[in-house]
Amino acid sequence: MRYLEVRRHSKRSRPDQHLNQWGVALARGLGSQVGPFDRVVTSPLPRCVETAVAMGFAVDETIDQLAGKDVLGESFPAMDLVDWSAGCAVFQPLIATNKALADFVAAQAEVWRSVVKQVPKGGQALLVGHGGAFLDGTAVYCLPEFDHVAWGAVSRYCEGIRLHFDGERFSGAEILKVKQVT
């Protein structure tokens, strides 16, 4: 078994691309509770790289595809159709009915698989990226048979999912929540 921990970046003050002080503190606190990782990959955007570094992990690679088509990590297909109050469960019916979204999450999932395949058996990788379909939608796509209602709300800052990879596919997961202090 291999493991992939996927986390949303920490907090920034829009439109700035860099973490704010609260975001650095949140990532630092989380970093002391996770890892170690055999491989660390992020979106190329500063807020993602800075999250991994603030967590205490050197970034092995940035992958442009993790930033999306807008290269800002802020939009994805069918974004205007997402009812954010519905939590992670909102993504399964949207993926089933919206080809552009299905193609988007399938491409993100392929990146995830390529990252986790690069760690040794029993190892784990960290991927820091963006929220919405980048993280929650892709996780739903990777594990379609799971109870997505039980997963709860979409990922907030530094939250995410730890996926189990059996060598062929993702086969299990734990939802990773973080106490959001201000």
Side-chain angles (χ1 to χ4, degrees):
M1 193 70 65
R2 294 176 175 96
Y3 302 92
L4 176 65
E5 191 164 308
V6 183
R7 297 275 183 167
R8 182 179 171 199
H9 62 79
S10 198
K11 185 167 175 51
R12 65 182 171 132
S13 299
R14 288 178 181 258
D16 196 1
Q17 289 296 314
H18 299 279
L19 297 184
N20 60 28
Q21 189 58 49
W22 184 90
V24 171
L26 179 64
R28 277 188 183 155
L30 175 63
S32 66
Q33 302 168 32
V34 300
F37 297 102
D38 299 289
R39 184 158 180 73
V40 177
V41 175
T42 71
S43 159
L45 295 171
R47 62 189 183 267
C48 297
V49 174
E50 291 170 4
T51 297
V53 171
M55 288 173 70
F57 305 109
V59 176
D60 296 305
E61 180 182 9
T62 62
I63 300 176
D64 291 345
Q65 189 174 351
L66 294 173
K69 195 175 208 176
D70 67 359
V71 195
L72 295 172
E74 294 181 358
S75 66
F76 54 84
M79 188 170 171
D80 57 327
L81 301 176
V82 175
D83 173 4
W84 297 104
S85 68
C88 294
V90 72
F91 286 105
Q92 193 158 30
L94 287 176
I95 292 167
T97 59
N98 188 293
K99 183 174 177 358
L101 179 60
D103 290 346
F104 175 83
V105 295
Q108 293 289 307
E110 188 53 41
V111 171
W112 291 13
R113 279 189 288 277
S114 72
V115 169
V116 75
K117 285 180 179 180
Q118 294 177 44
V119 300
K121 287 185 180 178
Q124 61 181 352
L126 172 66
L127 186 151
V128 179
H130 307 281
F134 288 94
L135 194 162
D136 304 292
T138 302
V140 166
Y141 175 84
C142 289
L143 297 166
E145 70 283 1
F146 278 56
D147 178 3
H148 305 120
V149 172
W151 287 6
V154 295
S155 299
R156 298 182 306 168
Y157 298 116
C158 288
E159 293 184 335
I161 189 166
R162 184 171 190 261
L163 297 157
H164 309 182
F165 187 75
D166 65 14
E168 299 297 320
R169 63 183 190 88
F170 292 108
S171 57
E174 295 99 42
I175 301 303
L176 305 170
K177 297 295 184 184
V178 174
K179 183 177 180 186
Q180 305 281 317
V181 294
T182 55

